[in-house]
Amino acid sequence: MKRRSGGIGRQRTAGRRTAITTRTRTTGRRNLTKSPLKSSAASRSAANKSVLHEAFSAGQRAGRHALENEHSLEQHARSTWQVHEAAISAELRGYPAVMQAGKAFMQGYAQAAGRSLNIIPLSLNKPAAAVVCACNEELTLGQVLVQLKRLPLTDIVVVLNGTTDNSLAQVLEHPGITLVYEPDRAGHDVGRALGAKMTGAETLLFVDGDMVVPAEQLAPFLYAVDRGDDVALNNLSSLLPPFARQDEVSRIKAYLNRVLNRSDLGSNSLTAVPHALSRNMIQIVKPESLAVPPKAQSLAIQHGLKVTAPSQVDVIRSNRLRSTNTGSGNEVARLIIGDHLEAIAAWLDMGGNSSQAGRAISRAEVAYRRNAR
């Protein structure tokens, strides 16, 4: 059972469609016809180049009016890109196209302004914030905040709990951070529930202080929720071994999703960061449910919210190893399994039934999976 303690302190730190034609020519007996698919691909490529060229030119025009103050420069670059992105949104299909055009715009802006820009060209329609949970992360916390500041966030909430090192000093070096201080060890899950209450942003990105994830890899989660998802999970499916070689944690994650008739999610879970949530989701499931991530995920699915896994950040190999998260049956594994059992119990209390669990597995299939190699 997670510890929940009082003594919470909060402070604000200073601070064309295209017509496809075919052309036929005869060489001896061979009739060579240009592929319509290739023609279509070439047309799309030309259109993409046109969009990128226009974005670069728009960036140059905006950059000529760049402001002197570096902080205002970044704000000006973001606001002018947002205006241009809205004007060409019909030509941008999907996140990759948006990011390519954004990068072209920023390149043009930086060239005209004569200044470098180290920001992510992500245009959001709604305010977004990040929640960082940390305990004794002085070696990584500062760089975590550096990456978050490259994103268009209205707030960054850092929840320090049970810290005894210089993590606090790392936070205070960054102006404009909302700091929540919990003197006792509360854990990341409880920290996320606390952090969610400290901001009214419409999109919340959750990360941990012990893992420096480049802003480029965080941006897709913000984009997914900003464009309509309620829960954007870290898609770790391709990083996991076959079912027969998975550990008990991965298996129970997949089992819960199957029970909820979302086997498409595999073992993806709110227990893994980074992930992003909508304010709508948090209001429906209540912030305190975030203290038990699988329960919050189960509630979101049961309420018909849009749960996706839009992007992948490899947190398996980069996860900081501790005595509590290594070895069979370790403390963290037991906690996660317990959380999933609590989520299943809550599902049953809400009237869960076997019809929601999808197709029943035959004894032969069970035996096959058990003996798979």
Side-chain angles (χ1 to χ4, degrees):
M1 180 176 180
K2 299 181 180 66
R3 296 175 56 196
R4 291 159 172 79
S5 54
I8 301 171
R10 181 189 181 192
Q11 75 176 73
R12 187 80 173 184
T13 61
R16 153 175 37 147
R17 180 180 178 183
T18 303
I20 300 174
T21 60
T22 58
R23 182 178 60 186
T24 306
R25 64 186 178 89
T26 304
T27 305
R29 296 183 179 179
R30 292 184 64 193
N31 187 18
L32 303 179
T33 304
K34 187 176 181 180
S35 171
L37 292 178
K38 291 183 179 180
S39 297
S40 179
S43 299
R44 287 196 300 269
S45 177
N48 290 339
K49 289 181 179 179
S50 175
V51 170
L52 296 181
H53 177 76
E54 177 52 34
F56 182 83
S57 299
Q60 285 183 313
R61 293 191 295 271
R64 296 189 188 104
H65 300 90
L67 306 176
E68 292 298 324
N69 181 277
E70 185 173 350
H71 183 63
S72 297
L73 183 78
E74 292 185 356
Q75 287 185 329
H76 183 252
R78 288 193 186 281
S79 63
T80 51
W81 161 239
Q82 188 165 13
V83 171
H84 183 71
E85 191 269 343
I88 64 171
S89 60
E91 302 176 71
L92 302 176
R93 301 182 183 278
Y95 176 78
V98 171
M99 291 305 294
Q100 283 185 336
K103 289 177 181 178
F105 181 93
M106 293 302 172
Q107 288 170 359
Y109 188 103
Q111 183 187 83
R115 302 275 292 277
S116 62
L117 290 170
N118 190 29
I119 60 177
I120 302 301
L122 182 64
S123 176
L124 300 178
N125 298 319
K126 295 169 285 191
V131 174
V132 187
C133 297
C135 176
N136 294 336
E137 315 295 358
E138 62 179 350
L139 299 179
T140 53
L141 186 52
Q143 283 304 306
V144 170
L145 297 178
V146 167
Q147 291 302 316
L148 290 175
K149 288 195 168 186
R150 298 177 60 208
L151 296 165
L153 301 172
T154 59
D155 197 8
I156 299 175
V157 180
V158 177
V159 181
L160 290 181
N161 67 100
T163 294
T164 58
D165 66 358
N166 291 319
S167 293
L168 177 58
Q170 293 292 321
V171 178
L172 295 178
E173 289 182 4
H174 294 266
I177 303 295
T178 297
L179 173 63
V180 179
Y181 180 74
E182 165 59 64
D184 297 322
R185 188 75 177 263
H188 287 331
D189 298 336
V190 175
R192 291 177 195 134
L194 288 173
K197 293 183 177 182
M198 297 299 173
T199 176
E202 291 296 315
T203 300
L204 273 71
L205 172 71
F206 294 86
V207 299
D208 287 347
D210 63 346
M211 200 175 304
V212 182
V213 181
E216 288 84 355
Q217 295 183 38
L218 297 173
F221 299 94
L222 288 170
Y223 182 87
V225 173
D226 186 72
R227 296 312 194 267
D229 293 358
D230 288 297
V231 179
L233 301 172
N234 187 1
N235 191 353
L236 300 176
S237 296
S238 66
L239 301 177
L240 297 176
F243 181 84
R245 298 205 303 269
Q246 290 178 11
D247 58 20
E248 63 272 25
V249 171
S250 297
R251 288 177 176 177
I252 199 166
K253 289 178 180 179
Y255 177 74
L256 176 61
N257 285 331
R258 185 181 182 90
V259 162
L260 297 170
N261 204 27
R262 287 301 307 271
S263 57
D264 59 298
L265 292 175
S267 294
N268 297 318
S269 170
L270 272 178
T271 58
V273 291
H275 59 256
L277 306 176
S278 70
R279 175 58 57 184
N280 179 54
M281 180 271 189
I282 295 173
Q283 289 176 337
I284 289 176
V285 308
K286 309 302 180 186
E288 51 268 26
S289 72
L290 300 182
V292 186
K295 185 177 179 180
Q297 180 171 335
S298 175
L299 289 171
I301 292 173
Q302 290 176 78
H303 281 90
L305 301 182
K306 189 175 181 180
V307 181
T308 65
S311 191
Q312 180 185 97
V313 176
D314 186 354
V315 296
I316 297 177
R317 285 177 288 189
S318 60
N319 192 19
R320 177 178 168 185
L321 298 180
R322 299 178 173 89
S323 60
T324 56
N325 67 359
T326 55
S328 178
N330 62 73
E331 180 181 331
V332 172
R334 293 198 303 271
L335 175 65
I336 294 174
I337 291 172
D339 284 351
H340 281 77
L341 292 176
E342 185 174 340
I344 293 171
W347 170 74
L348 292 171
D349 288 342
M350 291 182 67
N353 56 71
S354 59
S355 65
Q356 291 178 279
R359 179 181 62 86
I361 303 177
S362 67
R363 293 177 62 86
E365 188 174 354
V366 171
Y368 172 80
R369 293 187 180 187
R370 181 182 298 145
N371 298 320
R373 292 292 184 268

